[in-house]
Every structure is written in C-alpha cells, then in structure tokens.
Amino acid sequence: MKLDFKEKSPADFFSENMDVCGFDNPIRAIYTAVRELLENSLDACEAADVLPKVNLEIRKEGEGIYVIRIEDNGPGIPPEHVPESFGKIFYSSKYVMKQQRGRFGMGGTMAVMYGQITTQRPVHIVSMTEKQIADLKIKIDIIRNSPITEPENIWKAVKPNDTGKQGTTIELTLEGNYQRAREKILEYIKQTAMIAPYAEISFTEPDGSKHLYKREVEYLPPIPKEAKPHPRGVNLELFRRLMAKDPRSKVSNFLVKAFQSIGRKTSLEVLGKADVNPDKRVNKLGSEEIRRIVKSLRKHKGFRPPDASSLAPMGEEMFEAGIKRVLKSEFVKCIQRPPKAYEGNPFIVEVAIAYGGEIKVKEGEIKLYRFANRIPLLYDEWNDVSTRVLKRINWKRYGVKPGDPFAVFVHICSTNIPYKTLGKEYIANKPEIRREIYMGVLQVAREMRNYLNKLERKKKTEKALKTFMKYAETLTSLLSEAVEGINQDEIKGKLREIIVERLKVNEQ
Amino acid sequence: MKLDFKEKSPADFFSENMDVCGFDNPIRAIYTAVRELLENSLDACEAADVLPKVNLEIRKEGEGIYVIRIEDNGPGIPPEHVPESFGKIFYSSKYVMKQQRGRFGMGGTMAVMYGQITTQRPVHIVSMTEKQIADLKIKIDIIRNSPITEPENIWKAVKPNDTGKQGTTIELTLEGNYQRAREKILEYIKQTAMIAPYAEISFTEPDGSKHLYKREVEYLPPIPKEAKPHPRGVNLELFRRLMAKDPRSKVSNFLVKAFQSIGRKTSLEVLGKADVNPDKRVNKLGSEEIRRIVKSLRKHKGFRPPDASSLAPMGEEMFEAGIKRVLKSEFVKCIQRPPKAYEGNPFIVEVAIAYGGEIKVKEGEIKLYRFANRIPLLYDEWNDVSTRVLKRINWKRYGVKPGDPFAVFVHICSTNIPYKTLGKEYIANKPEIRREIYMGVLQVAREMRNYLNKLERKKKTEKALKTFMKYAETLTSLLSEAVEGINQDEIKGKLREIIVERLKVNEQ
C-alpha cells in the first residue's frame, strides 16, 4: 500500500473546499458573493475617506445563472494589483492590523473562483484610479494559484483616466438560486445600511425592483489607524516576529516601541519580574529569557487599556438612531464597553437592546442582531459567542421572557475578529470577548427593566388617577349641594393637582 | 492613502487564523490536537490494512503546558515525506478521493504550528517504516511555509529498521487547559472506540489514570478504494480537469472512463440530449459544447447509484452493537441508506436510534450523536445538518417528545465530507445529504414507535392476564363445588392457555 503525497496550491485547496468559505450551495453562494463584493466596496471607500456610494445589481443570465454587478466610488485598485487581487488566494491589501470588514483577504477571489467553477466565465473588472483606467477580464489558474488576464499584457488595457471619476466596477457571473437567497440578501443590505448610515446603497433585483438606502449621515466615522499589538495575551510566535523587526534595540526600549500601552515604567517592571537585564540587545536574548519575558507580559495586570484609534465603533447615539429608524421601537438603549484586548488584538463591544415597535420574535426565542466590524452576520448564529451569552441570562430578572418583543444587538469591533469560518458566519468563544458581551447585555437589560417598571408604574398611576377623579367628581357635586356658591371646576382642578402630586411621589 | 498589497504563505495565513482550524483557545486547542493526531494514526493503520493499536498519553510539562505523545502501529511515514507532512500546510497524503478521517490534510501540521506558536518547541517524530527508522525534530518556517528539521540533513537521522516493528510516534508540546478539556477528550475517545470497535486505544491522563478500550472485533471493515467522481452534480471545473487528463479519447468513451456509474448507453443518451457528436475527440470540444454536456449530465435522472467501494460505512449490525455496548439501551435500531452522491461525491448515511438504558437527556432536548467517516463530532452541533433535520421532525407522531430517554445517531460516510470549518466541527447543509438523514431518521423513528407500542401493549396484556386469572381462580373453585371429581389445576391451566391465546391475537 503506497501513499500518494501531494502538495496543493491554496487556490486548488479552496476550490475543493468552497463550503468552508460560505459557498455551500447555490443559495448561500450567491448571498456570500454579494456580501464579499459589497464589503470590499465599503472597505475601499472608507479606507480612502470617501463617503460610500455603491450600486449593486443582480441580473438573470440564464436558468440558475446570474450576473452580480457592483460599482463603487472608492479610490480604484492600481492596475498592477488588479490581477492578483482577484486571481490569487492569500494576496490582499487587508493584511494590516486595523478594523476593516475584510478579514481573510480572500472573499473576492473566492467569489471569482466560484463563478469560474460554476460558469467558466471570467470576472470583468474596471478599476478607475486617480490617473488610470484598467479594463480587464480575469480567470484563475487554480492549480498554480495565479491570475490569467485578458488581455495577457494588462498594460494594453490601461488608459489615462480623464473622466474625473474614481471607483471600481465588477461584473461576476455565477450559478445561484436568487429566489431562495433573496430574503437574506435584502435583510443583509438593510442591516448594512442600518450600521453604515453614511453610505448610499442602491440595489436592483433581477426582476427590476429597486431598493435605495439614502445617506442619513453626511460624515464618515473616524478612519481607524493601523495599530501595534497590545501586550495582553501575546504569544511567543508574535513576540519573535516583533523581535526580528527590531533586533538592535535594548529590550527595555523594544517593549515600548513594539507594543501599544507599554511605557518605560511598565517595561522595566515586566523585565524585572522576568529577571532579564533591560539593557540587553534584543538579538542577544536567549530562548529561556524570551519565554520568561512573554510569561511576565501575560501575567502583568497593570497595562493601560488598548488604544482605540485602530477601531471604529458605531457610537451609542448612532447605533440607537439606526435601530430606531429601522425597528421603530419605543425603547432603545445602547452602551459601548471600554476597549479591551484578546491575544494582542484590541476590541470594543457595543450592546443595544430594543423593546416594542416592529420587532418580530418567534415563540420562546430571543431576537439577536449580530454585527462585527459593521458587517451583519445572518447565518449560523447558534454557535456564536453572543448566542451563548444570551442563553445564560436569566431574563425573568429583567422583567421579560424569551418570546417577548425585545431584541438584543451586539456589535464587535476589532483589528482581528475571531471568526470560526472563513465564510465569516460566526464568532469564536473567546473568554475576553464573551465577558464584555455579557457585561454589556446585563447593563442594557437593567435599563430595559427600569423602562418596563416605569411603564408599569405609569399605567398603574393613570388607572389610579382615573379612579380618584371619579370620587372627586362625586365629592365635588355633594359639596356643591351642601355649600352654596362653590366653583365646582376649580375644586376639581385643585383635587386633581393634589392627586397627581401624590402619584408622582409614588412614581419615583 | 496608499494601500499595502501583500502575499501570505498558507502557513502564515493560518498561523494568524488558528480559530478557523479549531484552535480557538487553550481548551479547544488541546482537544483538537488530540483529535487530529488520533485520526491520523487510525487513518494510517486502516489504509495499510493493519488492526490499529494506539497508545495516547498526555503529560504535564509546566503550568498550562502539556506534551501529547501518540504511538501507533501503522506503516510509518517514509523519511523523505516526514518533514513536509508535519511542516508544510497543503502537503498531505490525504488528497485522494476515498473515505478517510482526514479531509483537509492540514490537521497534523496545524497542531505542530500551534505547539510552536505557544511553546516554541519542535515536534518530535519517530517514524518506523518496514526498512527504516527516522528520528527527527521539526519546526515550521511559518513565513515560508516550509519545515526546519533537526538534524538539517534528515538522512543523518535515518537508520535501518531491524526491530521488526512499524509505526509512528509523535511527541508534541503545546499550551492547553487539560482540566477543562478533559471531559470532551474522554468523550471523544469513548465515541471513537464505539465507532471503531476493531481498534485498541489506550489513553493515559496527566494524573496517571489509564483508560483502555480493547479490540472488540478482530477484523477491519473493507478498505475503501479510491473512486472516480459520480456524474451527479458535477461542475464545469471538475469536468475540465477530467478532460485535461484524457484529451485524445472520443467524448463518448471519455464519459465512461472518467466517471463511475456511466455505461456506453447512458453516455450516448447524455451526449444526444446535449447535441454533441459522440465521436468527437475531447480536445476538440468547444466551450459551448462542454457547457451543454455538463448541463445534460446534471439533468440526467437514470444514473446507476454510486459505487460504494470508496466508502466504508459501519454496517447496521456493528453500529447497533457499538451503541448497545456503550449505552446499554433496551432498544437499538440502525438502518443504512443506499449510496447517493452530491456534487460528484458518493456518500452513505447510517442512522440509528436507541431508547432507554444509560441515555441521559436534558429537559426538552434530543440527544444527538454525530459521526462523519468514523469521527465523532462533539462541538458546534447547533448549525449541523443533522441538528436541522431533528428540529423538523414531529416527534409526537413517534410516541416520544424531546426530553424522553432516546438518542439519535447519524453517521455520514463520504469521499468528501462537506465540513463547514477547517476544524471539522460541523457539516454543511447539502440538500442531498439532508434528505438522506431525514429519510433515515423517519425509518428508525417508526421502528422505535413500533417498539414503544409493543411495549405498551405488552404491559396492558400482562395486566389483563393477571385480572383474568383472578376470575379464573374464583370460577374454578365455584365449579369444583358444583361438579365432583374436577381437576382444578387442569382447568386453570386450560383457561390460562385460552386467555393467553386471545391476548396474543390482540397483541398483533
């Protein structure tokens, strides 16, 4: 029995494992393709500080064959990077440490590959940068993990850009089941608009129906900056990589330069506990010393919280406004938790709760909206870290039960969202993240309880006022019989004032 | 704003995305590492037709640091393949179309990489093939996706094998939380023994406690053969790849040779419907013709079912025996569905149901055991295709409700299990597979209903018999007073016979 050892290219590997990237079947595949393209467009605009305007269109080309066309007003992709950006797995502009929707840098290429596998058609890209327009068709040589362009020499398809416009337009042909994916695609676009109210998104369905989400806010959230790793939860591998970039520094200076949230004092303290000479050069450290430093970093408690400049949370106000606009809830409360870190990655959790309005809940369930770096997550929620948190909460203590008309919203922002699938369907159970979600949910749940209690008291008060006023009516008319010349309305008014005053005291 | 385009090696990419491979945190990581190593050992033995004997040991090395040691009696890995098998992502002997536990060919390397990232220690491999022993330490150059061996020249660590033994021994040091992973690891080994009763597995815990699963069956299931793809659900990419291997054949012969389950008649019928000349050479086909052939293949209804020789299901008897041994249930029923295919991949679903015995069920839940190619799946069950099926069943019709002491077992065998995560946690929602599970569950649920009905009737019968016999007693004694010389015992016996006969008729 001889075993056959083989090496595969990344493209070859993923072409045989499309399921792990969200291309399980024609329904999920068309949904995932739309998602990946839309997310790339929004990321491109935001990175370039441009208010996004995205036109999305799906056309039917044949039985079960669709064309997705997407056009954005981003900065365009430089012609020399176009072929590999769409035709090579593990080639991307997303491999930097800051908050962005793209995480794996492979979604666009996977969509192109899925289109090619199911229809054998190339993707058509028109990229307009400030100075150039590139108009290319791209297929993937899957065995070699490399792009095949038409024309072969891309510079034949590049001309000067004198239109004054910038942006990228993509036309992708693929097999799909639009009818069955429709509901999720519409929901995805709606929730994207909710969490990116500064973007204008138009969508034309295959039957011609149009959906337009206008811009609601005329400014972009602050652009996240590239971050240094936070020392909390750092591992040996990352530490060695950072060392390799700065081998000649003294280790005490190295710690301050390589990490965020470490000052000179902390650096010396950490090294002291690790029993390492702070003046030693980084490239002179022995492997035992390195191990001790990492251990000491991981045990240290007093780090400053992570710098939030690499993150772009929604903000409580904008998040609440977004929810109110879409769900018309009577009560909405959002809270933003302070920045934390897991495994060196800064993150911020925002949690909101809404009660009433157009919230539709199934019997015995809790409605959960999940967002990660402004991406709505619609599939595979059952194993998600947020779902795990909601299951553990004793909702009775907060005056509600599963099935009541309330909804929980969780938005996780991080330089590195720990998705469990390459299709970005759900988030891993990281203790640090779980804890922040838990704390956030408790906070907003308490606010909801207060609101519901107040509502309850208000109802009681109104009922009580009504009853009292009936007695007051009777009382006044008896009085007017006994005492001459009395002003009934005046007395009723005064009685009412007194009662309202008393009830208000009770309402506190 | 300039974007920074970068290419990453597969190892580099996955070193930053360990979550998608099942290495989310120290609990899950040690569990996943044990799994991947144990699965590789069992695959190696079975592929070589050897009854597996695996010794697994976990030792504590320091605070949160463990060594996993695994030793098997498989054929060993040829020395020249050892470094890349453990030190290069996308290099494997698993890239063939047959049933095996390994699916992505990356689990072993991921475990090595996780160990390296968390402890910087190399993995230690001793591979004993028929003629050679290789004793190597391996680390991974993550940026380059290539192994670093100690010694550098591996042949210095190879000597002749005169021990008469074969097998592979691996010692891997990694960060982990054994205490919290313990329960899942024990459950995993127990269920593995249940579904591979021909394997001897011993496990020694860090505290020295030993678990031994002895061999229960002295023969291996038939070794699955490498298969050709089945034409059902074939896509254009796969079709073109097959064409490239056999460009000079006539297309009618090509279809018969390239696919399983296509004979000459079917080939001509498919090509007729596609309006393609059957005598045309494969390399002369135009892209429109190719598209038509694939369409015609996908529409064709009359293919023979897939050849099951690439699959190795448990078999109804062995599956039932395994369940009975572990759960001691009063009632166990297994059925094997006929072979089917999805996207060209043959598969067989086996479904079992058990009632009573040591089944522990939580309030309102249905106990589900999931297996895929003889691997127990213990995590992330909520999004699994089998869980989806169970939710849709109206259990009341089968005489039970969620929370009753019954359990469902689903075993999916395929040349290509459509996992949704690279950590092989749960299975994608493929309509063909879902349907087979559904049909299987209905079948065994009906059997359970019959069993429960019979049980119910038996109880009633026994009660009725008791009542009748009381009357018979009285009757006989009255009779004996009235008629002289009567044999009371004889009459009672006869009455009993008559009653039992009547009740039996009712029991049918």
Side-chain angles (χ1 to χ4, degrees):
Chain A
M1 167 84 218
K2 219 180 126 37
L3 289 176
D4 190 12
F5 288 85
K6 263 187 249 176
E7 181 169 359
K8 266 185 198 294
S9 81
D12 196 8
F13 179 83
F14 286 110
S15 76
E16 294 182 349
N17 296 298
M18 311 266 333
D19 300 334
V20 301
C21 300
F23 293 85
D24 315 22
N25 56 53
I27 305 167
R28 182 88 69 111
I30 191 168
Y31 166 82
T32 301
V34 165
R35 252 190 82 160
E36 298 288 2
L37 296 176
L38 180 54
E39 286 165 21
N40 283 347
S41 284
L42 293 172
D43 270 352
C45 294
E46 290 175 33
D49 207 4
V50 171
L51 281 168
K53 182 170 188 305
V54 182
N55 296 318
L56 175 67
E57 189 186 335
I58 301 182
R59 292 196 310 266
K60 190 163 183 173
E61 277 276 293
E63 205 189 314
I65 307 286
Y66 293 88
V67 175
I68 303 175
R69 183 181 186 282
I70 191 162
E71 182 187 356
D72 66 49
N73 62 339
I77 302 160
E80 63 273 29
H81 292 300
V82 171
E84 294 192 307
S85 295
F86 291 93
K88 188 183 197 99
I89 296 279
F90 299 156
Y91 182 93
S92 174
S93 64
K94 311 245 174 177
Y95 298 142
V96 289
M97 194 170 177
K98 67 173 186 181
Q99 175 176 335
Q100 49 190 342
R101 292 175 182 76
R103 165 79 177 77
F104 301 112
M106 61 192 290
T109 308
M110 284 303 296
V112 171
M113 190 150 73
Y114 181 81
Q116 174 174 330
I117 286 175
T118 54
T119 71
Q120 293 288 309
R121 301 265 189 92
V123 66
H124 182 186
I125 316 275
V126 180
S127 171
M128 300 165 77
T129 59
E130 201 183 339
K131 297 195 175 139
Q132 293 169 308
I133 300 182
D135 185 332
L136 289 170
K137 288 188 175 152
I138 298 169
K139 285 182 105 173
I140 304 172
D141 180 335
I142 293 177
I143 302 290
R144 290 193 179 76
N145 189 32
S146 78
I148 304 168
T149 57
E150 190 193 318
E152 208 174 319
N153 175 354
I154 64 161
W155 298 105
K156 287 190 183 162
V158 176
K159 53 181 187 185
N161 184 359
D162 47 22
T163 62
K165 285 187 199 166
Q166 282 183 249
T168 307
T169 305
I170 300 172
E171 280 203 2
L172 179 73
T173 313
L174 82 177
E175 200 180 283
N177 183 335
Y178 181 74
Q179 268 322 307
R180 295 199 44 203
R182 179 177 183 268
E183 197 186 324
K184 287 271 189 195
I185 290 176
L186 290 177
E187 181 69 19
Y188 180 78
I189 295 170
K190 187 174 103 184
Q191 288 193 26
T192 299
M194 177 163 125
I195 199 134
Y198 48 82
E200 179 176 317
I201 303 173
S202 76
F203 173 44
T204 310
E205 293 193 73
D207 69 359
S209 21
K210 284 185 202 300
H211 307 262
L212 176 64
Y213 292 91
K214 283 198 188 152
R215 191 167 291 143
E216 299 272 342
V217 185
E218 288 294 331
Y219 56 89
L220 277 174
I223 304 179
K225 294 190 190 66
E226 197 172 339
K228 296 180 198 171
H230 190 271
R232 190 179 148 85
V234 69
N235 63 45
L236 280 162
E237 178 66 25
L238 176 59
F239 194 80
R240 276 186 187 269
R241 286 200 195 190
L242 294 169
M243 282 170 60
K245 285 188 197 157
D246 187 14
R248 307 263 322 134
S249 280
K250 287 181 189 175
V251 60
S252 57
N253 295 338
F254 162 71
L255 291 184
V256 176
K257 284 188 284 172
F259 293 95
Q260 53 168 283
S261 308
I262 297 189
R264 176 122 197 103
K265 206 182 125 211
T266 309
S267 173
L268 292 175
E269 195 184 327
V270 164
L271 292 171
K273 281 188 191 147
D275 196 18
V276 169
N277 176 359
D279 291 335
K280 208 163 187 178
R281 303 272 164 204
V282 166
N283 55 5
K284 300 289 177 211
L285 290 170
S287 59
E288 252 324 300
E289 285 175 313
I290 296 170
R291 217 185 301 276
R292 288 205 305 270
I293 299 173
V294 169
K295 206 170 166 184
S296 174
L297 280 172
R298 293 173 68 155
K299 286 206 165 170
H300 188 80
K301 297 278 180 210
F303 292 120
R304 289 198 303 270
D307 169 21
S309 68
S310 57
L311 304 176
M314 284 284 283
E316 297 177 352
E317 223 170 296
M318 200 191 265
F319 203 178
E320 285 177 10
I323 295 167
K324 266 201 178 126
R325 191 166 70 235
V326 175
L327 293 179
K328 322 248 181 309
S329 299
E330 307 143 24
F331 170 79
V332 180
K333 177 69 195 171
C334 170
I335 71 105
Q336 189 181 94
R337 299 282 308 163
K340 300 269 170 175
Y342 81 92
E343 295 162 26
N345 306 295
F347 72 92
I348 287 178
V349 168
E350 295 177 300
V351 181
I353 207 161
Y355 189 92
E358 295 178 3
I359 296 172
K360 303 245 177 320
V361 191
K362 278 189 203 155
E363 177 70 29
E365 279 188 10
I366 296 165
K367 185 83 182 169
L368 169 65
Y369 289 83
R370 296 174 297 140
F371 301 91
N373 286 1
R374 296 172 189 268
I375 297 178
L377 305 179
L378 301 188
Y379 273 105
D380 289 13
E381 79 178 78
W382 293 105
N383 296 326
D384 191 277
V385 60
S386 299
T387 309
R388 288 171 201 264
V389 168
L390 292 200
K391 276 188 192 163
R392 300 214 153 197
I393 296 210
N394 181 359
W395 288 100
K396 240 195 283 178
R397 294 182 51 180
Y398 300 98
V400 289
K401 58 178 190 306
D404 282 356
F406 71 101
V408 178
F409 305 75
V410 178
H411 182 208
I412 303 170
C413 299
S414 177
T415 52
N416 196 349
I417 299 277
Y419 291 109
K420 275 291 293 178
T421 60
L422 294 172
K424 300 188 293 191
E425 277 111 347
Y426 70 105
I427 293 173
N429 187 9
K430 299 280 177 192
E432 297 90 346
I433 296 180
R434 195 182 56 218
R435 185 174 179 279
E436 286 306 301
I437 298 171
Y438 182 71
M439 299 305 290
V441 173
L442 291 193
Q443 269 179 279
V444 294
R446 274 194 295 268
E447 299 274 354
M448 178 175 69
R449 183 185 56 198
N450 293 346
Y451 164 78
L452 292 175
N453 284 348
K454 220 172 242 170
L455 206 69
E456 185 65 19
R457 277 198 303 264
K458 206 177 151 202
K459 266 192 207 152
K460 275 190 191 158
T461 307
E462 272 163 13
K463 208 177 147 197
L465 183 60
K466 229 170 151 186
T467 317
F468 278 125
M469 284 314 291
K470 251 191 231 154
Y471 288 118
E473 190 88 24
T474 321
L475 201 65
T476 332
S477 69
L478 283 174
L479 214 65
S480 71
E481 276 171 34
V483 186
E484 199 132 329
I486 223 166
N487 183 339
Q488 282 199 40
D489 285 340
E490 198 189 328
I491 292 182
K492 264 194 274 178
K494 277 199 179 148
L495 279 171
R496 193 188 165 90
E497 265 170 40
I498 295 168
I499 294 163
V500 166
E501 198 58 41
R502 287 275 166 87
L503 288 171
K504 256 193 201 150
V505 172
N506 285 338
E507 248 184 73
Q508 299 304 313
Chain B
M1 167 84 217
K2 220 180 125 41
L3 289 176
D4 188 14
F5 288 86
K6 264 187 247 175
E7 181 169 0
K8 267 186 198 294
S9 80
D12 197 9
F13 178 83
F14 286 110
S15 77
E16 294 181 349
N17 295 297
M18 311 268 334
D19 299 335
V20 301
C21 299
F23 293 86
D24 315 22
N25 56 51
I27 306 166
R28 183 88 69 114
I30 191 168
Y31 166 82
T32 301
V34 165
R35 253 191 80 162
E36 298 287 2
L37 296 176
L38 181 53
E39 287 165 21
N40 282 347
S41 284
L42 293 172
D43 270 351
C45 294
E46 290 175 32
D49 206 3
V50 171
L51 281 168
K53 183 171 186 304
V54 181
N55 295 318
L56 175 67
E57 190 187 333
I58 301 181
R59 291 195 311 264
K60 189 161 184 175
E61 277 276 293
E63 206 188 314
I65 306 287
Y66 293 88
V67 175
I68 304 175
R69 183 181 186 282
I70 191 163
E71 181 187 355
D72 68 47
N73 62 338
I77 302 160
E80 63 273 27
H81 292 300
V82 171
E84 295 191 308
S85 294
F86 292 93
K88 188 185 198 99
I89 297 278
F90 299 155
Y91 183 92
S92 174
S93 63
K94 310 247 173 174
Y95 297 142
V96 289
M97 194 171 177
K98 67 174 186 180
Q99 176 178 335
Q100 47 190 344
R101 290 176 183 76
R103 165 79 177 77
F104 300 112
M106 62 190 292
T109 309
M110 284 303 295
V112 171
M113 191 150 72
Y114 180 82
Q116 174 173 331
I117 286 175
T118 55
T119 73
Q120 294 287 310
R121 302 267 189 91
V123 66
H124 182 185
I125 315 275
V126 179
S127 170
M128 300 165 77
T129 57
E130 200 182 340
K131 294 191 178 142
Q132 292 169 309
I133 300 181
D135 185 331
L136 289 170
K137 288 188 174 153
I138 298 169
K139 285 182 107 173
I140 305 173
D141 180 335
I142 293 177
I143 303 290
R144 290 193 179 75
N145 189 31
S146 78
I148 304 167
T149 58
E150 191 193 316
E152 208 176 320
N153 175 354
I154 64 161
W155 298 105
K156 287 190 184 162
V158 177
K159 53 182 188 182
N161 183 358
D162 47 22
T163 63
K165 286 187 198 164
Q166 281 181 250
T168 307
T169 304
I170 299 172
E171 279 204 3
L172 179 73
T173 312
L174 82 175
E175 200 179 283
N177 183 335
Y178 181 75
Q179 269 323 307
R180 294 198 45 203
R182 179 176 183 268
E183 198 186 325
K184 286 272 191 196
I185 291 176
L186 290 177
E187 181 68 21
Y188 180 77
I189 296 170
K190 186 174 104 184
Q191 288 193 27
T192 299
M194 177 163 123
I195 199 136
Y198 48 82
E200 180 176 316
I201 303 174
S202 75
F203 173 44
T204 309
E205 293 193 72
D207 69 359
S209 22
K210 282 183 202 301
H211 305 261
L212 175 64
Y213 292 90
K214 282 196 189 156
R215 191 168 288 141
E216 300 272 341
V217 185
E218 288 295 330
Y219 56 91
L220 278 175
I223 303 179
K225 293 190 190 68
E226 198 171 338
K228 296 180 198 170
H230 189 271
R232 190 179 148 87
V234 69
N235 62 44
L236 279 163
E237 178 66 25
L238 176 58
F239 195 80
R240 277 187 187 267
R241 287 200 194 191
L242 294 168
M243 282 170 60
K245 285 188 196 160
D246 187 15
R248 307 264 319 132
S249 280
K250 288 181 188 174
V251 60
S252 57
N253 294 338
F254 162 72
L255 291 184
V256 175
K257 283 188 285 171
F259 292 96
Q260 53 168 281
S261 308
I262 298 190
R264 177 122 196 103
K265 206 182 125 212
T266 308
S267 173
L268 292 175
E269 196 183 325
V270 165
L271 292 171
K273 280 190 190 146
D275 197 18
V276 169
N277 177 0
D279 291 334
K280 206 162 186 177
R281 304 271 164 203
V282 166
N283 55 6
K284 300 289 179 213
L285 290 170
S287 60
E288 253 324 300
E289 284 175 313
I290 296 170
R291 217 185 298 276
R292 289 206 305 272
I293 298 173
V294 169
K295 205 169 169 186
S296 173
L297 280 171
R298 292 173 68 153
K299 284 205 165 170
H300 188 80
K301 296 279 179 208
F303 292 122
R304 288 198 304 270
D307 170 19
S309 69
S310 57
L311 304 176
M314 284 285 283
E316 298 177 352
E317 223 170 295
M318 202 192 264
F319 204 178
E320 285 177 10
I323 295 168
K324 267 201 178 127
R325 191 167 70 235
V326 176
L327 294 178
K328 323 248 180 317
S329 299
E330 306 142 24
F331 169 80
V332 180
K333 177 69 194 172
C334 170
I335 72 106
Q336 189 182 95
R337 299 282 309 163
K340 300 270 170 176
Y342 81 93
E343 293 161 29
N345 306 294
F347 72 93
I348 287 179
V349 168
E350 295 178 300
V351 181
I353 208 161
Y355 188 92
E358 296 177 2
I359 296 173
K360 303 248 177 318
V361 192
K362 278 188 205 156
E363 179 69 29
E365 281 189 10
I366 296 166
K367 184 83 184 167
L368 169 65
Y369 290 83
R370 296 174 298 140
F371 301 91
N373 285 2
R374 298 173 187 268
I375 297 178
L377 305 179
L378 301 187
Y379 273 105
D380 290 11
E381 77 178 78
W382 293 106
N383 296 325
D384 191 276
V385 59
S386 298
T387 308
R388 288 171 200 262
V389 169
L390 292 199
K391 274 189 192 160
R392 299 213 152 198
I393 297 211
N394 180 359
W395 289 99
K396 238 195 283 177
R397 295 181 52 179
Y398 300 97
V400 289
K401 58 178 192 305
D404 282 356
F406 71 102
V408 178
F409 304 75
V410 178
H411 182 209
I412 303 169
C413 299
S414 176
T415 52
N416 197 349
I417 299 279
Y419 290 109
K420 276 291 291 179
T421 61
L422 294 173
K424 297 188 296 191
E425 276 111 348
Y426 69 106
I427 293 174
N429 188 7
K430 300 280 177 192
E432 297 90 346
I433 296 180
R434 195 182 54 219
R435 185 173 179 281
E436 285 305 302
I437 297 171
Y438 182 71
M439 298 304 290
V441 173
L442 291 192
Q443 269 180 281
V444 293
R446 273 195 294 270
E447 299 273 354
M448 181 176 65
R449 183 184 56 197
N450 292 346
Y451 164 78
L452 292 175
N453 284 348
K454 221 173 241 170
L455 206 69
E456 185 64 19
R457 277 198 302 266
K458 206 177 151 199
K459 266 192 207 152
K460 275 191 189 157
T461 307
E462 272 163 14
K463 206 176 151 197
L465 183 60
K466 228 172 153 183
T467 317
F468 278 125
M469 285 314 291
K470 250 190 230 156
Y471 288 118
E473 191 88 25
T474 320
L475 202 65
T476 332
S477 70
L478 284 174
L479 214 64
S480 73
E481 277 171 31
V483 187
E484 198 132 328
I486 225 166
N487 183 338
Q488 282 198 40
D489 285 341
E490 197 189 328
I491 291 181
K492 264 194 274 176
K494 278 199 179 144
L495 280 170
R496 192 189 166 89
E497 266 172 42
I498 294 168
I499 293 161
V500 167
E501 198 58 40
R502 287 274 165 88
L503 289 171
K504 257 194 199 150
V505 172
N506 286 339
E507 247 183 75
Q508 297 307 311

